[in-house]
Amino acid sequence: MNELAKPILPGEGGSDYERYLRTDALLALQKDADEWVHRDELLFQTVHQSSELWLKLAWNEVEEAGKLVSAGEIPAANRLLRRAVACLKIVTEALDMLEHMSPWEYTEVRKVLGHGSGFDSPGFRELRRVAKPLGEAFHTARERAGLSLIEVYTRGREFDELYNLAELLIELDERVTVWRVRHFKVVQRTIGADVIGTQGTPVEVMGRLIHHSFFPELWDVRNDLTQMNLPE
């Protein structure tokens, strides 16, 4: 057992766990205590850095899902999209931690953020990038099956995989919106809704983004489906 405990992987760290996960580098990415303007900097950095890791996983899964849909492998794509949705749930729940900061004490942390803003999140930027080709791949698959968007739903029992794909797209879209709503409320609770953000953007602008979506046609089709079934 002593031999099995010895690291065999290359890299830094006293164990293969540390070497594989590169914990030396990972845990050095946060400010040291002697660099903090307030001890809540560790909380703030931990939430945002871990969120970027989950978002990296999410957008990679979404990108691969788009390729799988294009190749006609819809069940495999759906599996990856379920992962991406789970990632977004984790990122949203992580925002709860930010509300453990005092609004007054956070003003000290805010002073050292420079022009840093959630608008510059590489994870969300990549997610926006890969969502478009995924949507295009979905519509190509739908057309290949000879279905209108309405028929994806009215004939969903016949085309279960395609229907599930459509619902995973809207679930992904919804989870981004839920994150935006939660993020807006966290910001409002922390610094207020009538102030200017770190990049000179009013906080209220963040609230308007709640109405943006990756796949608006998937939301609009619900209006059509409801109208189709209304009594005359």
Side-chain angles (χ1 to χ4, degrees):
M1 288 301 296
N2 289 337
E3 286 299 313
L4 292 177
K6 294 179 180 178
I8 58 174
L9 297 176
E12 299 178 359
S15 69
D16 279 340
Y17 177 90
E18 295 166 285
R19 293 184 180 188
Y20 179 75
L21 294 177
R22 300 173 64 185
T23 55
D24 282 358
L26 181 65
L27 299 177
L29 295 175
Q30 299 76 43
K31 284 186 174 183
D32 292 329
D34 58 359
E35 299 177 278
W36 296 340
V37 296
H38 189 280
R39 68 181 312 279
D40 282 354
E41 280 195 81
L42 180 58
L43 186 158
F44 191 85
Q45 284 193 308
T46 298
V47 169
H48 288 84
Q49 288 181 349
S50 61
S51 293
E52 289 298 336
L53 287 173
W54 286 113
L55 288 170
K56 182 177 182 179
L57 176 59
W59 75 255
N60 272 276
E61 303 299 56
V62 170
E63 184 172 48
E64 181 64 17
K67 294 175 182 177
L68 288 168
V69 173
S70 295
E73 299 179 39
I74 294 179
N78 289 349
R79 180 171 62 88
L80 295 185
L81 289 174
R82 282 190 285 271
R83 283 189 192 175
V85 166
C87 289
L88 289 171
K89 290 179 181 179
I90 293 170
V91 170
T92 303
E93 290 172 358
L95 293 173
D96 291 354
M97 289 299 299
L98 296 178
E99 292 185 341
H100 288 278
M101 295 187 299
S102 156
W104 175 245
E105 293 174 354
Y106 172 69
T107 61
E108 293 301 311
V109 176
R110 193 168 184 247
K111 291 175 182 177
V112 296
L113 297 181
H115 295 155
S117 168
F119 289 117
D120 294 327
S121 163
F124 275 106
R125 182 171 61 243
E126 289 299 294
L127 196 56
R128 289 193 296 270
R129 179 183 66 82
V130 299
K132 183 176 180 180
L134 172 63
E136 292 171 349
F138 161 71
H139 286 297
T140 298
R142 170 183 63 74
E143 292 166 0
R144 191 184 303 126
L147 299 174
S148 67
L149 189 53
I150 286 177
E151 288 173 324
V152 170
Y153 286 88
T154 59
R155 300 176 63 188
R157 300 300 177 187
E158 300 173 59
F159 299 89
D160 193 55
E161 293 174 358
L162 202 53
Y163 167 79
N164 286 331
L165 174 59
E167 286 298 280
L168 281 164
L169 262 62
I170 207 163
E171 176 75 3
L172 183 73
D173 211 348
E174 182 178 338
R175 286 295 163 186
V176 172
T177 300
V178 169
W179 180 88
R180 285 176 174 153
V181 172
R182 187 73 186 93
H183 185 239
F184 173 67
K185 297 307 292 184
V186 168
V187 171
Q188 183 183 35
R189 178 169 169 173
T190 306
I191 66 172
D194 300 321
V195 299
I196 303 299
T198 47
Q199 288 190 345
T201 305
V203 170
E204 64 175 340
V205 172
M206 190 183 301
R208 298 177 202 158
L209 291 175
I210 291 167
H211 303 291
H212 289 205
S213 61
F214 293 151
F215 315 111
E217 68 280 9
L218 283 170
W219 296 99
D220 292 342
V221 75
R222 280 143 170 83
N223 298 321
D224 299 330
L225 291 166
T226 300
Q227 289 295 328
M228 286 170 58
N229 230 7
L230 287 177
E232 297 181 0

